[in-house]
Amino acid sequence: MSWQNTTAKVAGAIAVLSGIWMALTVGITDVFNIIASPDDVDAATAASLNGVDFIDRIAVAGVLVTILGGAGLGILAKSADNPPFLNTTLQYLPVIVGFLAFSAFGTEVWETITGGRDWSANDDISNSYILFLASSLVSGAVSLLKR
């Protein structure tokens, strides 16, 4: 296995684990609230995320699809029966989430990748969210290198 495949798989596994950790920490109800009804998000969750905005909603949808997708529980998989947008989303999810991570959370993600993040200064919600975003960025970037 090439270093690109190994790195993409390890980073993908970290994204799944940190996504699961985030979902369990905020609760399934708040995962769906972040995506669909941000005004109903628990105050502590919203505070941990420094508020819930459009990018958070898309990124947490990425958490959900990552958990349910082929790298996670395998409930969502590419199939000829799926609409094309779903297959494309599943195929390029780490790249999509990685772009969001880079464009909206660049400083936090870079600190995580380079080892500069102060994990004790943040709670489990924030830490698992940023670890999900950073590992998705690594997985997505490396998957582009092997094409």
Side-chain angles (χ1 to χ4, degrees):
M1 184 180 291
S2 71
W3 70 268
Q4 294 100 329
N5 286 338
T6 302
T7 303
K9 286 189 180 289
V10 170
I14 293 169
V16 170
L17 291 173
S18 56
I20 290 171
W21 192 271
M22 181 188 179
L24 292 175
T25 303
V26 303
I28 299 302
T29 300
D30 254 0
V31 168
F32 287 108
N33 283 342
I34 291 168
I35 297 166
S37 184
D39 292 337
D40 295 328
V41 172
D42 179 74
T45 299
S48 180
L49 297 174
N50 294 318
V52 176
D53 61 16
F54 175 75
I55 292 294
D56 293 311
R57 296 172 73 189
I58 298 294
V60 173
V63 169
L64 188 60
V65 174
T66 298
I67 292 169
L68 297 175
L73 301 175
I75 295 170
L76 291 175
K78 288 175 35 180
S79 165
D81 296 332
N82 288 343
F85 84 91
L86 181 57
N87 285 333
T88 301
T89 300
L90 291 170
Q91 179 176 357
Y92 292 106
L93 187 64
V95 175
I96 295 165
V97 174
F99 175 76
L100 293 172
F102 178 75
S103 65
F105 302 95
T107 302
E108 297 92 338
V109 166
W110 183 248
E111 287 175 349
T112 302
I113 292 170
T114 61
R117 182 168 179 83
D118 183 359
W119 298 99
S120 62
N122 300 282
D123 62 13
D124 280 2
I125 296 169
S126 177
N127 283 333
S128 58
Y129 187 42
I130 295 301
L131 184 58
F132 166 78
L133 292 167
S135 56
S136 293
L137 175 63
V138 170
S139 180
V142 171
S143 71
L144 289 175
L145 292 176
K146 65 182 184 180
R147 295 196 190 285

